[in-house]
Amino acid sequence: MFHRTQRLLLRPIWPEDWKIILGGIADEGVVRNLARAPWPYTAEDAQAFAKLPVSNPRCPRFLITRARDGALLGCIGLDEKDGLVELGYWIARPFWGQGIATEAGQAVIDVARMIGHTHLCAGHFVDNPASGKVLRKLGFQPTGATTFRHSCGRGMKAPAHEYTLDLSTAEAMRAA
């Protein structure tokens, strides 16, 4: 599955993408904000990630690339977590603060709506408030819950704020 926005092309991840994935994510500042990526992030980790099959077509994963030249900016996708559909993403450090996560996030919300999802969840580690700002821009609402979520990159559990998005509400439609 592909999706195009004004500046971005979201595209499938192919096994040969492992080198550009490694170049974007092999940064402790990026990995520490993720639940499943280990630190240090190695070539073997990137190869394994790039080879992951699409196990659920209702939960696509995308490389976030710049539409004009195909440069890797990050990764975004949907995944099942405890019976819910969760939005997750990372942006390579050189592209932080440029609205990439918000633009890509809106695109994936559009895809989620087209696929037929009615609710999404998301979260961010408490010490990553920039991600919370992105989620609120996308229309996610804080649930009020703070849980301890394992971070492979940190090697421990860390507090994380949880959010939800009802895709059928007028507020979520306005964010689209």
Side-chain angles (χ1 to χ4, degrees):
M1 180 180 303
F2 293 81
H3 196 71
R4 172 75 199 267
T5 70
Q6 182 177 347
R7 298 182 296 166
L8 309 175
L9 173 65
L10 278 58
R11 68 165 180 83
I13 301 166
W14 299 310
E16 59 270 21
D17 290 324
W18 74 267
K19 287 181 184 175
I20 62 170
I21 291 169
L22 181 63
I25 196 174
D27 175 329
E28 189 174 9
V30 173
V31 171
R32 72 176 276 105
N33 292 318
L34 304 175
R36 294 186 205 115
W39 185 254
Y41 196 88
T42 66
E44 291 78 20
D45 296 318
Q47 290 168 348
F49 179 75
K51 288 180 185 176
L52 283 174
V54 177
S55 59
N56 182 346
R58 291 181 46 84
C59 291
R61 292 179 298 129
F62 301 95
L63 280 187
I64 305 168
T65 63
R66 196 167 36 218
R68 67 179 150 92
D69 63 6
L72 175 76
L73 309 176
C75 187
I76 192 164
L78 302 174
D79 198 10
E80 289 186 320
K81 176 189 168 209
D82 303 326
L84 302 171
V85 178
E86 180 179 42
L87 174 72
Y89 61 89
W90 60 264
I91 305 297
R93 187 184 295 267
F95 307 106
W96 289 2
Q98 297 178 28
I100 303 298
T102 304
E103 189 172 334
Q106 189 57 63
V108 172
I109 289 169
D110 293 344
V111 168
R113 196 176 277 117
M114 286 187 279
I115 291 172
H117 293 299
T118 57
H119 290 83
L120 297 177
C121 68
H124 69 88
F125 290 110
V126 172
D127 60 0
N128 181 15
S131 214
K133 186 176 178 183
V134 168
L135 293 173
R136 288 187 299 279
K137 282 183 188 178
L138 292 171
F140 280 84
Q141 299 296 311
T143 66
T146 300
T147 60
F148 279 83
R149 187 161 184 183
H150 185 73
S151 166
C152 291
R154 297 170 192 232
M156 59 185 234
K157 288 187 175 187
H161 294 311
E162 295 184 355
Y163 292 76
T164 188
L165 178 63
D166 180 347
L167 296 176
S168 65
T169 66
E171 190 170 295
M173 297 301 272
R174 272 196 305 275

